[in-house]
Amino acid sequence: MSPPASNTEKQERNRQEKRTGYTYEEYKQTADWLLSNTEHRPTVAIVCGSGLGGLGDLLKDQVAFHYSDIPNFPQSTVPGHAGRLIFGNLNGKPCVCMQGRFHFYEGYPLWKVTFPVRVFRLMGVETVIVTNAAGGLNQDYKVGDIMVIKDHINIPGFAGNNPLSGPNDERFGPRFPPMSDAYDKEIRKLVVAIGSELGFEEKIKEGVYCGLGGPNFETIAECRFLNRLGADAVGMSTVHEVVVARHCGLRVMGLSLITNKAVMDYDSEATANHEEVLQAGKDSAKYLEKLVATVIQRIELNNNVI
Ligand code: HPA
């Protein structure tokens, strides 16, 4: 049995439980710690979705940290999310890559889920590339397609679960940030053009991603409802990171790998499962990786550190 907690420990635990966010100093402490432990100065951040961690392995001259070794960092608890932050160069551009992200369904509040995004901003990152595995709601989508995200629907946000809830820190961004231009139009065009150049234009779609809280996969009625609302793909991540990234002025590009077709028909015997998601990731990740690597090679950067 562990010894009883001291009063100081109890006070600290209470303080942690009542928190509604990180302080600016905590974001800064983590950014400074990372900058002092690597000579890399990333301008692009990549967030790897389920089964898409191979993107991190593409980086050259790697310096990697386990999340457990980084001050203030939450931990990844999901299979298919390694829990490493990798710095390195991809096609000559300095990048940082999250091999594993945090999700609402892991029990983390959204300000923890999105912690790394503001750390990246403070480190001088300008562009965030978010990737995810998603279920295809659009009947034209096939397993293995790559959806360039043109917009999102943030379902937890409808109910007030928004990472920007709570006091606003103007040093990061405004109280009421716009979201109608969340996914950079120029980069979207570039991705579609590169998909054609690389010879897999038939796999590239542009569509709307719907973010849910998870962890259960959707009911048939929910899939039909989301599709009628205008969603083309559904998943359990990404939208919170994008909201925080746009709030602090980062450019965003998003890609969904369609790992399964959402079940929309009561006669279907199919059910979604995580193993199928990871397997589809293994089979098709190479296309997504090639796309990301080529986009990174081509995007223009201007260093903007806050
Ligand atoms: N639903 C929600 N999240 C997902 C799915 C899905 O069908 N596929 C991969 N992630």
Side-chain angles (χ1 to χ4, degrees):
M1 232 174 52
S2 49
S6 67
N7 275 347
T8 330
E9 281 166 344
K10 278 188 202 152
Q11 275 166 3
E12 177 56 20
R13 210 177 297 152
N14 276 344
R15 197 179 70 80
Q16 292 291 342
E17 278 166 12
K18 289 200 186 110
R19 294 183 64 162
T20 56
Y22 289 97
T23 62
Y24 187 87
E25 289 66 35
E26 284 170 312
Y27 292 109
K28 189 86 176 81
Q29 183 196 25
T30 305
D32 289 346
W33 186 90
L34 288 165
L35 290 174
S36 63
N37 280 280
T38 171
E39 287 177 2
H40 288 289
R41 293 294 175 263
T43 46
V44 178
I46 307 165
V47 183
C48 301
S50 294
L52 298 172
L55 272 168
D57 301 327
L58 300 179
L59 303 195
K60 302 271 183 309
D61 312 314
Q62 289 193 8
V63 176
F65 303 94
H66 286 285
Y67 292 166
S68 52
D69 295 330
I70 307 173
N72 306 318
F73 236 69
Q75 308 307 311
S76 265
T77 67
V78 189
H81 289 260
R84 285 189 334 145
L85 191 66
I86 308 176
F87 292 79
N89 297 311
L90 184 53
N91 279 336
K93 294 268 166 54
C95 296
V96 58
C97 180
M98 284 181 74
Q99 244 179 359
R101 59 148 61 85
F102 312 114
H103 305 83
F104 197 40
Y105 63 74
E106 292 173 88
Y108 292 122
L110 294 177
W111 50 268
K112 272 199 183 170
V113 166
T114 54
F115 174 71
V117 176
R118 285 181 170 174
V119 170
F120 294 152
R121 179 74 180 94
L122 293 177
M123 288 171 60
V125 163
E126 296 166 6
T127 305
V128 180
I129 299 179
V130 282
T131 67
N132 58 52
L137 295 165
N138 185 318
Q139 293 304 296
D140 295 337
Y141 288 8
K142 297 187 193 62
V143 170
D145 281 351
I146 296 168
M147 184 182 86
V148 183
I149 306 178
K150 73 167 181 217
D151 202 352
H152 75 218
I153 303 174
N154 174 7
I155 298 275
F158 286 7
N161 284 316
N162 190 300
L164 302 177
S165 288
N168 185 55
D169 191 331
E170 294 282 332
R171 284 170 287 190
F172 286 113
R175 173 75 288 187
F176 301 111
M179 274 308 134
S180 51
D181 58 352
Y183 297 86
D184 192 276
K185 218 180 246 175
E186 292 303 313
I187 305 185
R188 269 162 40 207
K189 269 196 229 152
L190 184 63
V191 180
V192 173
I194 290 173
S196 300
E197 262 176 55
L198 296 174
F200 50 89
E201 63 265 42
E202 78 290 348
K203 281 186 174 292
I204 309 286
K205 310 283 186 304
E206 257 198 296
V208 175
Y209 175 87
C210 179
L212 303 181
N216 63 278
F217 289 104
E218 302 69 41
T219 65
I220 294 173
E222 285 165 351
C223 289
R224 291 177 167 206
F225 167 78
L226 296 175
N227 191 221
R228 277 186 207 155
L229 278 185
D232 296 295
V234 59
M236 306 175 194
S237 66
T238 305
V239 293
H240 320 298
E241 293 151 3
V242 171
V243 166
V244 171
R246 292 302 296 148
H247 176 251
C248 67
L250 292 168
R251 231 171 8 157
V252 171
M253 157 182 158
L255 295 178
S256 294
L257 177 66
I258 306 301
T259 53
N260 56 290
K261 284 178 79 102
V263 184
M264 311 274 278
D265 176 357
Y266 285 100
D267 291 329
S268 168
E269 294 294 319
T271 54
N273 62 78
H274 192 56
E275 291 66 38
E276 169 190 44
V277 167
L278 294 182
Q279 186 57 48
K282 272 190 202 140
D283 297 342
S284 301
K286 56 181 183 291
Y287 297 101
L288 191 136
E289 286 170 12
K290 189 81 189 126
L291 207 50
V292 170
T294 314
V295 170
I296 287 179
Q297 186 178 35
R298 306 250 184 108
I299 52 180
E300 298 296 323
L301 304 168
N302 344 272
N303 216 12
N304 59 344
V305 183
I306 44 178

